[in-house]
């Protein structure tokens, strides 16, 4: 093979492999590990490449008129996308694929319905550095529930995805409620 053919082969191989290497798809990242009131607790998460063909999707659309705009966010399996500035991501974008919480020996896996519409999750340990945090974790004093605020997205799509998870398997994305004083 001559130099020209080798160069073309190398460049072609790099271009074909570039999309796969463009993103990190972390698996079983420990977001938090510690103890609450003597109970060991742990949170892990994983991401995978998004594939439109694996989901029922709708694009961002204007459901109103030119005079009265009514924008509807893109959806994945019926839920508004999170982390993508209301638009549907391209194939290969990191998608939240697993989230598991251990309350002592009890393991709670968050159902896929709460994960598959969440993109570009910041799967990093819950640390606060110089006033910034990608992930915030708050366990109840009895170690039977946790509120997880996970950083997601990039640029205009940056936000948080908040979950309440309890040891009995209850998972909610509703805002935290406070009792009346």
């Amino acid at each position: 093979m001559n130099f020209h053919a080798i160069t073309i082969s190398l460049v072609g191989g790099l271009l074909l492999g570039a999309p796969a290497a463009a993103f990190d798809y972390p698996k079983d990242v420990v977001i938090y590990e510690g103890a609450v009131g003597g109970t060991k607790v742990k949170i892990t998460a994983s991401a995978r490449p998004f594939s439109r063909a694996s989901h029922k999707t709708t694009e961002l659309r204007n459901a109103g008129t030119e005079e009265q705009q009514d924008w509807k966010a893109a959806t994945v399996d019926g839920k508004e996308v999170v982390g993508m500035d209301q638009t549907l991501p391209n194939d290969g974008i990191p998608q939240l694929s697993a989230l598991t919480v251990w309350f002592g020996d009890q393991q709670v896996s968050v159902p896929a319905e709460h994960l598959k519409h969440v993109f570009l999750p910041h799967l990093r340990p819950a640390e606060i550095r110089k006033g910034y945090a990608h992930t915030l974790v708050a366990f109840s004093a009895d170690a039977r529930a946790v509120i997880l605020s996970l950083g997601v997205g990039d640029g205009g799509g940056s936000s948080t995805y908040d979950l309440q998870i309890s040891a009995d398997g209850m998972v909610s994305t509703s805002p935290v409620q406070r009792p009346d004083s």
Side-chain angles (χ1 to χ4, degrees):
M1 222 189 243
N2 64 26
F3 178 75
H4 185 67
I6 292 172
T7 303
I8 289 174
S9 296
L10 287 173
V11 170
L14 287 173
L15 290 175
L16 288 174
F23 291 104
D24 183 24
Y25 304 105
K27 184 166 174 47
D28 298 329
V29 173
V30 176
I31 291 176
Y32 184 86
E33 187 169 21
V36 176
T39 301
K40 289 185 179 180
V41 293
K42 184 177 177 179
I43 302 172
T44 63
S46 299
R48 68 173 168 228
F50 175 64
S51 170
R52 286 184 188 207
S54 300
H55 302 279
K56 182 181 176 199
T57 60
T58 61
E59 297 283 348
L60 172 67
R61 66 195 183 285
N62 181 3
T65 63
E66 188 173 330
E67 296 80 32
Q68 190 170 18
Q69 304 286 315
D70 185 17
W71 291 98
K72 303 290 182 188
T75 64
V76 171
D77 298 329
K79 294 202 175 202
E80 288 187 11
V81 297
V82 176
M84 293 302 301
D85 200 19
Q86 299 186 343
T87 59
L88 195 59
N90 293 325
D91 284 350
I93 295 291
Q95 172 187 35
L96 188 58
S97 63
L99 186 61
T100 306
V101 181
W102 283 266
F103 300 92
D105 293 334
Q106 189 168 0
Q107 177 183 339
V108 175
S109 296
V110 174
E113 70 186 69
H114 295 288
L115 308 176
K116 29 188 189 178
H117 65 290
V118 180
F119 298 95
L120 296 169
H122 301 185
L123 302 184
R124 299 180 181 119
E127 299 175 339
I128 300 171
R129 291 195 176 151
K130 297 183 181 179
Y132 292 94
H134 290 287
T135 306
L136 293 174
V137 174
F139 276 92
S140 61
D142 64 358
R144 303 287 301 151
V146 64
I147 295 172
L148 172 65
S149 182
L150 185 63
V152 297
D154 189 25
S158 291
S159 64
T160 59
Y161 183 57
D162 300 331
L163 293 150
Q164 296 176 54
I165 306 160
S166 66
D168 65 5
M170 186 279 307
V171 178
S172 174
T173 57
S174 298
V176 174
Q177 300 293 314
R178 306 221 191 276
D180 293 332
S181 302

